[in-house]
Amino acid sequence: MEGIMGFLLGSLGLFYPLLIASVITFLYALVKRSWIWMLLSAILLYPDAWFFSGYPPFPWVKFVPLIQVILAIIFYLLNRTKSKT
């Protein structure tokens, strides 16, 4: 796992692009109430969160994408109940 994250964030230099893409998809998902975009935002944020969780003051950061996953589940359930009525 460390090799993959090192390649993504170090060799390819995707730290800031992933962070910016995650924020953009998060905001878009909030506006559209889309569970797919929210889940995509969590996936894009995971490498950065994993990287920050390696620092001693921030071991809890690796759980931040779980907030987006929970929001994606809520959006999915809301869309499902809205389409049944």
Side-chain angles (χ1 to χ4, degrees), residues 8 12 30 39 46 49-50 57 62 65 69 71 74:
L8 283 175
L12 294 179
L30 281 178
L39 197 58
Y46 181 71
W50 184 83
K62 62 184 165 195
V69 170
L71 283 172
I74 291 170

Side-chain angles (χ1 to χ4, degrees), residues 1-68:
M1 187 69 158
E2 291 176 9
I4 294 171
M5 295 299 175
F7 179 71
L8 283 175
L9 301 177
S11 300
L12 294 179
L14 291 177
F15 180 79
Y16 288 112
L18 285 174
L19 189 62
I20 292 168
S22 172
V23 169
I24 291 171
T25 54
F26 177 76
L27 294 175
Y28 183 76
L30 281 178
V31 170
K32 293 293 185 176
R33 304 268 192 242
S34 171
W35 67 272
I36 295 172
W37 285 99
M38 189 62 73
L39 197 58
L40 179 64
S41 176
I43 292 169
L44 290 173
L45 185 63
Y46 181 71
D48 291 336
W50 184 83
F51 176 75
F52 276 118
S53 70
Y55 293 113
F58 306 114
W60 50 267
V61 174
K62 62 184 165 195
F63 300 114
V64 170
L66 286 177
I67 296 168
Q68 294 168 319

